[in-house]
Amino acid sequence: MLTTTLNHIRVNHPGHASFAALLQDLGKTQADDESLPYDEILRLRGFEFAVWACCAEPRYDAVWSAYAIRCARRAQHLMKDPRSVAVLDVAERHLRGEATDAELSDAIVAASQVHASTAMDLGRIDAATHAAGAATFAALPKSGGNIATVVRGAFLAHDTQDREAVRKAQVEDFLCVVSMEAA
């Protein structure tokens, strides 16, 4: 089970109201170093806060990166430029030690160009732009800090009628990830 602590969450400066609500939910008045499972955070404060709290535990960066890539893959069918898909492929290989830092960096630069040019060409953000952004941010090393951006981008890339199913899948995937034994 992947865990964090209130002190680790507090260091990352959550909004006062959100952190105060979590303390209240836990029946506490101040942060401590007691182990706090991510599934408990999800249950108490919801998906967005639980995902945001991933940045409190950089020791799980590889896990967060794999989850971010999986979320971005859910929007892969909406990616119009092969460089957005390629960055996910390179990021997965990088996680397995099969791609160099330079290869990953080159793929991220190419994918970020797609993301930026799509938004500028259209003058607005559409599904492909959200999907490309999700791919780019998912590939960044230490995805814990970017995971909320990836999840949101992959969610917003889908049509409104598909979003409920996408969110359900994201939550199910998150529960699977945080239920893993810590290495």
Side-chain angles (χ1 to χ4, degrees):
M1 181 77 49
L2 301 187
T3 64
T4 188
T5 69
L6 289 170
N7 276 327
H8 286 183
I9 295 172
R10 183 179 50 82
V11 166
N12 287 285
H13 308 292
H16 176 69
S18 297
F19 189 68
L22 179 60
L23 285 172
Q24 184 177 5
D25 290 344
L26 293 167
K28 297 184 178 193
T29 58
Q30 62 185 13
D32 59 31
D33 289 318
E34 185 177 322
S35 186
L36 178 60
Y38 276 92
D39 63 341
E40 181 74 359
I41 297 169
L42 175 67
R43 186 182 68 75
L44 293 172
R45 298 306 317 146
F47 182 63
E48 285 81 13
F49 188 86
V51 165
W52 176 85
C54 294
C55 67
E57 292 301 335
R59 65 186 165 146
Y60 303 136
D61 276 342
V63 173
W64 303 143
S65 291
Y67 176 67
I69 292 166
R70 185 172 181 147
C71 284
R73 289 271 189 213
R74 289 194 180 280
Q76 180 174 320
H77 63 287
L78 301 168
M79 296 174 192
K80 295 181 180 175
D81 191 297
R83 292 173 291 180
S84 295
V85 176
V87 76
L88 297 174
D89 296 338
V90 174
E92 285 176 334
R93 289 192 356 258
H94 188 266
L95 276 176
R96 293 189 307 262
E98 299 169 359
T100 66
D101 291 347
E103 289 173 304
L104 180 60
S105 180
D106 289 348
I108 290 169
V109 168
S112 65
Q113 290 169 346
V114 171
H115 181 224
S117 68
T118 304
M120 289 191 316
D121 287 348
L122 296 172
R124 62 181 170 77
I125 297 177
D126 69 347
T129 305
H130 282 300
T136 302
F137 282 99
L140 292 173
K142 302 183 181 186
S143 288
N146 302 308
I147 199 167
T149 303
V150 174
V151 166
R152 183 164 174 73
F155 175 77
L156 291 174
H158 289 84
D159 291 333
T160 305
Q161 65 268 20
D162 297 332
R163 288 184 181 161
E164 186 175 326
V166 169
R167 180 50 46 96
K168 182 179 178 188
Q170 288 177 332
V171 171
E172 288 172 0
D173 289 347
F174 184 78
L175 281 169
C176 286
V177 165
V178 300
S179 296
M180 296 171 34
E181 284 298 315

